[in-house]
């Protein structure tokens, strides 16, 4: 049984992430989508919100589970019997940093292999950050994120704006 971990901030999960999850679910027996709560980025969504959205969008995949982790990714992978880390690559600009992480992870745990999957062309320009920016400025993010994420993102931004106005 081959288990893979697909790690990320998922702030929030986009259609590009979902495409990678679906393809990874075909390749591996089991895929764990692992949310990293403590990245250097300042997340819009709480860890619980990111987990909940991921669980909703992954519910149709019987071999995909959603979890969160802290500490080193390779330790999480080893603790869960995962031999692979799945990463999506959009453009050459992603490659340099991803290569650095893959090589460092390999040094830390040579038995865990990083597997890169190229995003489909229609998702190559997509990122959680750009989706949040478009939505915050009133643009449509339809199709860029799953429907349930779109609704929640709009509500979340409205709450943030209301809170900001009260301050
Ligand atoms: O979606 P992101 O923000 O690009 O995901 C980055 C993530 C979470 C995959 C990366 O920061 C990570 O692996 N963090 C866990 C801590 C760790 O193992 N760091 C060493 C990486 S070489």
């Amino acid at each position: 049984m081959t288990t893979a971990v697909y790690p990320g901030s998922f702030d929030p999960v986009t259609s590009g992430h979902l495409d990678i999850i679906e393809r990874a679910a075909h390749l591996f027996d089991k895929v764990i989508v692992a949310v990293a709560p403590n990245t250097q980025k300042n997340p819009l969504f709480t860890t619980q919100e990111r987990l909940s959205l991921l669980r909703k969008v992954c519910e149709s995949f019987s071999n995909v589970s959603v979890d969160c982790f802290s500490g080193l990714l390779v330790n999480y992978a080893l603790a869960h019997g995962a031999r692979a880390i799945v990463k999506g690559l959009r453009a050459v600009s992603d490659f340099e940093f991803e290569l650095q992480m893959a090589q460092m992870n390999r040094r830390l745990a040579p038995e865990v292999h990083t597997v890169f999957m190229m995003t489909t062309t229609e998702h190559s320009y997509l990122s959680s950050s750009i989706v949040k920016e478009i939505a915050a400025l009133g643009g449509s993010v339809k199709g860029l994120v799953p429907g349930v994420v779109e609704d929640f993102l709009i509500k979340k931004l409205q709450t943030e704006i209301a809170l900001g106005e009260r301050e």
Side-chain angles (χ1 to χ4, degrees), residues 12-13 18 38 59 63 82 111 137 144:
V13 55
L18 196 56
N38 306 318
E59 64 190 5
N63 61 338
E111 62 273 59
L137 297 173
L144 304 180

Side-chain angles (χ1 to χ4, degrees), residues 7-10 17 34 36 39 41 69 71-74 87 97-98 100-102 104-105 108:
S9 307
F10 302 107
H17 292 131
T39 56
K41 302 169 187 173
F69 74 103
L72 285 176
L73 172 61
V74 286
K87 290 292 192 85
F97 186 52
E98 290 297 343
Q100 185 186 21
M101 281 200 285
M104 181 54 80
N105 282 333
L108 293 167

Side-chain angles (χ1 to χ4, degrees), residues 9 11 36-47 50 132:
S9 307
D11 184 47
N38 306 318
T39 56
Q40 281 146 6
K41 302 169 187 173
N42 185 19
L44 172 66
F45 295 97
T46 65
T47 306
R50 286 181 273 158
K132 284 183 283 187

Side-chain angles (χ1 to χ4, degrees), residues 131-149:
V131 163
K132 284 183 283 187
E133 184 173 340
I134 299 301
L137 297 173
S140 169
V141 294
K142 206 171 197 55
L144 304 180
V145 289
V148 63
V149 177

